């Protein structure tokens, strides 16, 4: 589905593109130059996820973090998010770890998504 390029969408996309790690709603809101309500930001972020432009990470702190999809084939709708994420408990940075994983499920089970998170101290905070 083709979506319009609205000002909120362009600003949120710009914030995600300029980030070196995944961002929470609060982090994105701090980057915006215009005042947007919480619902608008979440609506745009969830549409990015639906459209395969971003993926959502649920942190061990209960927050949702969003990162742009970098290795997904949007033409074929193939999303490759079977990787762990790391959240630093000191600085709060959430980043995608490069190593992909394979989870072996019992017979008859079919995996549709995976959300793996490791928390600890990042290289800068260790």
């Amino acid at each position: 589905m083709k979506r319009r390029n609205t000002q909120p969408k362009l600003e949120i996309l710009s914030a995600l593109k300029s980030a070196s790690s995944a961002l929470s709603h609060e982090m994105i809101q701090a980057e915006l130059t215009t005042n947007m309500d919480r619902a608008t930001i979440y609506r745009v972020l969830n549409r990015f996820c639906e459209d395969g432009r971003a993926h959502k990470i649920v942190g061990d702190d209960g927050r949702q973090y969003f990162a742009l999809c970098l290795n997904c084939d949007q033409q074929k709708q193939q999303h490759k998010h079977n990787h762990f994420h790391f959240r630093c408990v000191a600085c709060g940075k959430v980043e995608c770890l490069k190593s992909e994983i394979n989870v072996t499920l019992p017979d008859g089970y079919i995996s549709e998504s995976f959300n793996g998170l490791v928390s600890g101290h990042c290289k800068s905070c260790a």
Side-chain angles (χ1 to χ4, degrees):
M1 173 186 222
K2 182 116 170 127
R3 301 196 196 265
R4 293 182 310 137
N5 283 327
T6 62
Q7 189 62 29
K9 183 178 177 179
L10 295 172
E11 280 198 53
I12 293 168
L13 184 60
S14 177
L16 289 172
K17 282 182 178 178
S18 65
S20 62
S21 62
L23 300 175
S24 68
H25 169 274
E26 293 83 8
M27 295 169 169
I28 292 169
Q29 194 167 32
E31 294 292 318
L32 300 176
T33 58
T34 58
N35 191 16
M36 279 182 234
D37 64 44
R38 185 176 188 88
T40 299
I41 296 170
Y42 274 119
R43 185 172 40 256
V44 170
L45 290 169
N46 285 322
R47 283 190 185 142
F48 284 166
C49 291
E50 289 170 12
D51 294 345
R53 296 186 82 175
H55 66 280
K56 185 186 314 185
I57 302 134
V58 179
D60 59 345
D61 57 356
R63 287 192 173 124
Q64 295 179 2
Y65 297 86
F66 297 85
L68 287 181
C69 291
L70 301 176
N71 298 319
C72 295
D73 185 344
Q74 291 184 8
Q75 301 298 323
K76 295 182 181 175
Q77 297 289 317
Q78 293 178 337
H79 296 278
K80 297 179 181 176
H81 299 299
N82 57 335
H83 58 269
F84 277 98
H85 299 90
F86 186 88
R87 186 180 79 82
C88 180
V89 295
C91 69
K93 181 178 181 178
V94 175
E95 57 189 318
C96 297
L97 300 177
K98 303 290 186 239
S99 301
E100 289 192 11
I101 61 149
N102 291 311
V103 176
T104 303
L105 298 173
D107 288 340
Y109 288 78
I110 299 171
S111 174
E112 291 186 12
S113 66
F114 172 81
N115 183 20
L117 182 85
V118 177
S119 62
H121 290 86
C122 69
K123 190 169 28 174
S124 299
C125 296

